[in-house]
């Protein structure tokens, strides 16, 4: 049963980030996005390169989650992005706060399942 929830969670998180990344490319190229974007979030991306880098990471991480490849690395890359999404919607734009909370829950669940992959990061004196 845990395996089924893990796959569903991974796929759901992958679809969300792949879709959000693609949606960001519509904004970058000046095309009307298929999902409404937060004006507060877009105001933070005053410099286009930052939006391009973040949306590229979202697309890449979404693809990796959907393909079930490099999941611990993908989770590590997504951690600061998800924290930033949560803080943005907590303090600036409350419209997508439920989605941000769902992202945090899904992400934390996957981090818990892959906790053994991160165990060596927290060693005080690692061996070479």
């Amino acid at each position: 049963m845990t395996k089924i929830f893990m796959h569903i969670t991974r796929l759901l998180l992958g679809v969300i980030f792949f879709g959000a990344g693609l949606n960001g490319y519509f904004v970058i190229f000046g095309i009307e996005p298929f999902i409404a974007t937060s004006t507060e979030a877009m105001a933070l991306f005053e410099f286009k390169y930052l939006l391009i880098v973040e949306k590229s990471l979202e697309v890449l991480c979404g693809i990796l989650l959907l393909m079930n490849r490099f999941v611990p690395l993908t989770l590590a890359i997504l951690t600061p992005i998800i924290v930033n999404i949560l803080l943005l919607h907590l303090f600036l734009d409350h419209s997508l706060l439920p989605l941000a909370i769902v992202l945090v829950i899904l992400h934390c669940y996957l981090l818990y399942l892959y906790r053994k992959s991160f165990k060596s990061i927290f060693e005080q004196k690692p061996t070479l």
Side-chain angles (χ1 to χ4, degrees), residues 12-54:
L12 188 58
L13 204 59
V15 166
I16 289 171
F17 275 102
F18 183 71
L22 286 181
N23 196 46
Y25 281 121
F26 284 106
V27 173
I28 291 167
F29 294 121
I31 303 169
E32 187 65 32
F34 56 91
I35 300 171
T37 58
S38 168
T39 55
E40 288 84 359
M42 290 301 113
L44 293 176
F45 293 112
E46 181 180 334
F47 305 106
K48 287 273 191 209
Y49 78 91
L50 191 58
L51 183 62
I52 292 169
V53 169
E54 182 180 349

